[in-house]
Amino acid sequence: MAPDDPGLADLIARHAAHGDAHYPAESNHHLTGPEMAAKGVRLFAGWLSGDVVAMGGYVPWADGQAEVKSMHVAPSARGHGAGAAMLDVLMEAARAEGMVAIWLETGSRDASAPARRLYERAGFDYCAPFGGYVEDPESVFMTRAL
């Protein structure tokens, strides 16, 4: 799905606002729609009653690895499995594209605790910073084989 789709653009903006409300700017790693498009993020959306309520994507790396980007579920859809379903979709798409492992960065504060639980349940393990990330008390890093 294109990040400039109106429903998805709204959820991208809400995702950024959530990060901005809970984390300092230097620790925010969310991307705008144009940044996602420029980085080649494979973006997926989940719909409920005509509204985009979940999104997630991944950016493939040249070595068969990928990074989860911009997972977000609208408050109205939280607690109903939308996040798990979205994560399953993007991991299956990454696997089908030939990715063998997937990585992610998420927040360390209570506001991100549901996301960390989701990733833990999906088999992600905590790891050191990867790619261009550096140690940051506001971030945690996770990975899993596909």
Side-chain angles (χ1 to χ4, degrees), residues 2-30:
D4 61 352
D5 176 275
L8 193 51
D10 179 60
L11 196 57
I12 291 168
R14 287 191 275 159
H15 175 64
H18 177 80
D20 292 344
H22 297 284
Y23 293 95
E26 64 272 11
S27 296
N28 262 318
H29 303 287
H30 52 72

Side-chain angles (χ1 to χ4, degrees), residues 51-141:
D51 295 320
V52 178
V53 297
M55 70 175 190
Y58 68 92
V59 61
W61 300 337
D63 60 356
Q65 314 276 322
E67 180 182 357
V68 173
K69 297 303 290 181
S70 299
M71 282 282 297
H72 191 81
V73 175
S76 64
R78 292 180 187 159
H80 300 287
M86 181 58 58
L87 186 58
D88 287 346
V89 165
L90 71 92
M91 287 194 306
E92 182 55 38
R95 197 176 294 116
E97 191 174 345
M99 302 297 112
V100 297
I102 195 158
W103 303 75
L104 64 87
E105 177 278 336
T106 192
S108 63
R109 292 184 180 185
D110 287 346
S112 299
R116 292 190 307 273
R117 285 192 299 273
L118 169 70
Y119 300 132
E120 289 167 356
R121 285 192 305 267
F124 282 80
D125 294 313
Y126 290 91
C127 64
F130 59 89
Y133 294 106
V134 297
E135 281 292 336
D136 180 346
E138 302 290 354
S139 293
V140 297
F141 306 93

